[in-house]
Amino acid sequence: MNPSSPVHSLFSTRRIAALAHNTLLELVRMRVFYFILLFALMVIGSSLFTVNFSFQEQFQVLKDVGLGAISIFSWLLGLLCTALLLPKDLEDRTLYTILAKPVPRFEYLLGKLLGVFLLIGIAVALMSLVFAGVLGLREQQVLAETARSTPPADLAQALASIRASAFQWNLLPGIALIYLKAVLCATFTLLISTFASSSVFTVLVSVVVYLVGHVQGIAREYWLGGGDASPLIKVLVALVALIFPDLQLFNIVDEIAVGTVVPMLLFWKITGFGVLYTLVYMLVAQVVFSTREL
Amino acid sequence: MSTPAISIRNLTKEFAIPFKKERLVAVRNLSLEVPEGEVYGLLGPNGSGKSTAMKIVLGLVTPTEGTTAIFGCDSRRVESREQVGFLPENPYFYKFLTALETLLFFGKLCDLRGSALKDHAYSLLKTVGLENAADRRLGGFSKGMLQRIGMAQALIQNPRLLVLDEPTAGVDPAGSREIRDLILQFKSQGITVLLCSHLLGQVQEVCDRIGILHHGSLIKEGRIEDLITLENQTQLVLENASPALLAELEKRAREGGATVIGEGRPKADLEQFFLRVTQFNS
Ligand SMILES: Nc1ncnc2c1ncn2[C@@H]1O[C@H](COP(=O)(O)OP(=O)(O)O)[C@@H](O)[C@H]1O
Ligand SMILES: [Mg+2]
C-alpha cells in the first residue's frame, strides 16, 4: 500500500455543501418553518382589520406590518438557529466525529453558516410571497370595487393611483436589505457562540448586540458630535461604534415601505457595509474557533 | 522499518482548572508507537487520560507538549485524518438523520460521492448488522446500535487505522461480542486498531499488545502473554478424573520436585453462560 496519503484538497466546496445541506436539513426537520404560518396569520389578520380604512391606509398598514414582520421573523430565526448549532454540536460531541474526518475547522463554520443563510433566504422568500399575495389580493378587490363605483371618466386615473400604492417592485431592495440584516445578525451570533459555553448565553449576548447596534448611532452623534466629552469616552464610543454593527442604517426599509424612492447609491452603500461586517465577523469567528479547546 | 500507524512522542496534556492555580495533568510524558497491522489496547481506570490521548492523536485537542503523528503525518495537519476512522466515547450523531443518511453525510465529508458512496454505505450497514435499520432515524437507536453506526461511520473512507474509544461500553454481551468479532475481522484485513477500554476481558481477546495508563502515565506496556503468563506454573485440566487418580498425580508431582498449589473445578465464565442461555432461548 502507498504510505503517502492521497492529495488533500485544502478547500472543498463539496464538503462545505454537505455541511450546509446537513444544517438546513436539521433545521427543516426541527420544523422551524412552521412559524411561516404565524406570519401568514398576522398579515392576513391585519388586512382583515383594516377593511374600513381608505385603500391607501389599508395598503400602508399591510406594508408596514408585512415588512416589519419579515424583518423581525428573519432576524429571530437566524439568531435562534445559529445560537443552537455550535453549542449543540459541542455538547452532543457530534463535532468530534465531524472534525475527526479530514474537515478543516473553517469549512465546518462556513458550512454551518451557509446552511443558516439558506434557511433565512428560503424563509424571507416564502414570507415575501405570502405578503405579496395578500397585498395583491387586496389590490384586486379594491380595483374591482372602484371599477363598480367610479364614473367612467375618472376610472383610469383612480385605478392607476390604486396600483401605485399597492405592491411596487421598489419593495424588493427593501426585502434584500432585510435579508442582509438577518444574515449579519446571524453571523455575529455565530461569532459569539465560538467562545460562549451555552446557547442561552449566546442568545442573550446576541440580543444585546442587536439593541446596541440600534442605538449606537445616537450615542455616536451625542458623544462624538459635541466637543465637551472627555477623550476617553470618545475613544470608547468610537470603539463600540466600530465593533458593533450600525443596524440603524437598515431602517431605510421603513422609508421604502412608505414609498420613498431610495437612491441606488445609498442602497449599495448599505449593502457594502453589511457584507463587509459579515465577512469581518466570519473571519474573527474562524480565528476564535480555530484556537478553541473542544 | 516502515512508518508506524501511530507515533506518540513525549506527550503531555495539562488542563487549566477554572478558578484554581494548579493545572490538571491528564497525560504525562506519554510515548508509544503502534506499528501498522497491530491491535493495540490502551487500558486504564476512568480519568487516566485514555480519551484525551486519543483526541490529541486525532488533532481534536492540542497537546501542551510533545507530538503525535498518524502514518508519519503530524496530527495537527488536516491531511492526517484521511487515513483514520474514529469512534468517540458514547458516540452521538445527528438524531434527525437516518442510518443511511448519516453514512452518506460522513462520506461526503471525506470527499466521496455518487453511487460508489451509496453502495459502500449499504455494504457497511450490512457489515455492522444495521441493514434493516437503514431508513430509521438515529433518535430511536439503542446504545448498541449507535455504537455500530459509529463503527460504520469510522470505516466510511476505508481508513488504514481505526481509533476506538470504549467500543463496547454500555453494550450488552452479545452486542459487545459482535463488536469484538468486527475488530478481529478488521485486523485480518490489515487495518491497524487502537482501542481503549476498562473492560479487561475483551481487550485480552483482541489485542496484540497493551499499554496501561495510570494518572496519565504509561506504567506497563507489552504483549499480553508476556505480561500475564506465570512462567513457572502449568495448568492441567482433566475430565472424569477419579479421586484416586488425583491423589496419584499429586504424589508423582511431589516426587518430581513440583508443588501443587491449587485444585478445583474450572467454571465457564458468566459471560459465556449468559450468551449460551440467551442464544438458546431466542
Ligand atoms: N476538556 C477538559 N477540561 C478539563 N479537564 C479535562 C478535559 N477533558 C478531560 N479532562 C480531565 O482529564 C483527565 C483524563 O480524562 P480522560 O482522558 O477522559 O480519561 P479516560 O478516558 O481515561 O477516562 C480527567 O481527570 C478529566 O477530568
Ligand atoms: Mg474516556
Side-chain angles (χ1 to χ4, degrees), chain A residues 1 3 6 8-9 12 14-15 22 26 29 89 92 94 96-101 105 112 293, chain B residues 13 55 61-62 78-79 81-83 92-94 96-97 101 109-111 113 137 153 157 160:
Chain A
M1 210 184 270
H8 179 81
S9 51
S12 155
R14 208 175 309 138
R15 285 194 297 256
N22 188 60
E26 170 168 25
R29 290 194 179 165
D89 274 10
D92 291 354
T94 37
Y96 285 158
T97 344
I98 292 175
L99 294 182
K101 296 290 179 203
R105 288 190 183 191
K112 286 269 148 182
E293 195 85 81
Chain B
K13 176 66 190 178
K55 284 182 212 159
V61 170
T62 42
V78 177
E79 304 92 286
R81 295 190 266 297
E82 297 273 7
Q83 300 287 350
Y92 280 102
F93 300 100
Y94 291 116
F96 63 92
L97 291 179
E101 284 169 340
L109 293 185
C110 300
D111 261 336
R113 60 177 151 166
R137 293 210 186 159
Q153 160 279 129
Q157 83 273 36
R160 293 153 69 200

Side-chain angles (χ1 to χ4, degrees), chain A residues 157-169:
Chain A
Q157 209 207 332
L159 294 186
S161 84
I162 293 170
R163 289 205 178 94
S165 56
F167 188 84
Q168 292 287 303
W169 290 112

Side-chain angles (χ1 to χ4, degrees), chain A residues 62-80:
Chain A
L62 257 180
K63 284 187 205 170
D64 289 344
V65 171
L67 289 181
I70 295 179
S71 179
I72 295 278
F73 274 120
S74 58
W75 164 67
L76 212 55
L77 185 71
L79 172 92
L80 293 179

Side-chain angles (χ1 to χ4, degrees), chain B:
Chain B
M1 212 184 119
S2 65
T3 343
I6 296 180
S7 59
I8 300 178
R9 286 208 190 88
N10 305 106
L11 185 69
T12 296
K13 176 66 190 178
E14 297 176 353
F15 286 109
I17 307 174
F19 312 116
K20 278 197 185 167
K21 257 243 169 86
E22 78 259 42
R23 294 161 71 82
L24 187 146
V25 185
V27 178
R28 200 185 301 264
N29 199 19
L30 173 68
S31 294
L32 65 84
E33 275 191 2
V34 181
E36 185 159 8
E38 188 175 80
V39 177
Y40 189 99
L42 209 49
L43 305 183
N46 285 326
S48 54
K50 307 181 295 288
S51 299
T52 305
M54 286 184 160
K55 284 182 212 159
I56 294 173
V57 168
L58 285 150
L60 297 170
V61 170
T62 42
T64 311
E65 260 169 61
T67 56
T68 60
I70 295 174
F71 294 110
C73 182
D74 194 301
S75 298
R76 285 168 297 187
R77 298 169 58 120
V78 177
E79 304 92 286
S80 68
R81 295 190 266 297
E82 297 273 7
Q83 300 287 350
V84 57
F86 177 47
L87 173 72
E89 195 173 8
N90 303 318
Y92 280 102
F93 300 100
Y94 291 116
K95 291 191 185 72
F96 63 92
L97 291 179
T98 66
L100 181 63
E101 284 169 340
T102 303
L103 293 189
L104 296 180
F105 171 59
F106 284 106
K108 284 177 195 153
L109 293 185
C110 300
D111 261 336
L112 306 172
R113 60 177 151 166
S115 56
L117 171 59
K118 209 156 193 177
D119 294 345
H120 186 44
Y122 272 117
S123 83
L124 281 176
L125 284 175
K126 199 170 272 167
T127 307
V128 299
L130 286 176
E131 65 266 44
N132 294 326
D135 297 317
R136 274 171 58 191
R137 293 210 186 159
L138 301 196
F141 272 28
S142 71
K143 188 82 206 264
M145 292 168 89
L146 282 176
Q147 208 74 264
R148 282 191 242 174
I149 193 74
M151 281 281 208
Q153 160 279 129
L155 287 162
I156 192 75
Q157 83 273 36
N158 287 323
R160 293 153 69 200
L161 168 67
L162 276 178
V163 176
L164 312 173
D165 195 344
E166 312 265 4
T168 56
V171 179
D172 64 47
S176 66
R177 209 166 71 149
E178 279 164 26
I179 289 177
R180 186 203 62 194
D181 292 344
L182 275 177
I183 295 173
L184 290 173
Q185 185 188 327
F186 303 147
K187 180 180 165 182
S188 71
Q189 293 165 3
I191 299 176
T192 314
V193 180
L194 170 68
L195 65 90
C196 80
S197 182
H198 55 260
L199 300 173
L200 306 182
Q202 279 163 10
V203 169
Q204 192 168 357
E205 288 175 58
V206 296
C207 292
D208 300 315
R209 230 159 33 107
I210 58 162
I212 297 180
L213 270 186
H214 190 58
H215 293 313
S217 306
L218 193 67
I219 52 172
K220 269 276 184 299
E221 191 188 35
R223 304 187 63 81
I224 293 185
E225 297 93 275
D226 301 346
L227 291 177
I228 60 175
T229 307
L230 301 170
E231 289 296 345
N232 59 350
Q233 294 188 7
T234 308
Q235 216 168 26
L236 196 67
V237 181
L238 304 173
E239 201 165 25
N240 301 329
S242 67
L245 176 62
L246 288 176
E248 172 73 14
L249 281 174
E250 201 168 328
K251 190 170 137 246
R252 290 291 306 274
R254 256 199 315 276
E255 285 166 8
T259 325
V260 175
I261 48 178
E263 187 193 317
R265 294 178 195 279
K267 297 180 177 62
D269 69 17
L270 188 56
E271 184 186 321
Q272 285 167 10
F273 173 73
F274 177 87
L275 288 172
R276 213 171 58 214
V277 176
T278 51
Q279 268 164 15
F280 189 71
N281 287 324
S282 65

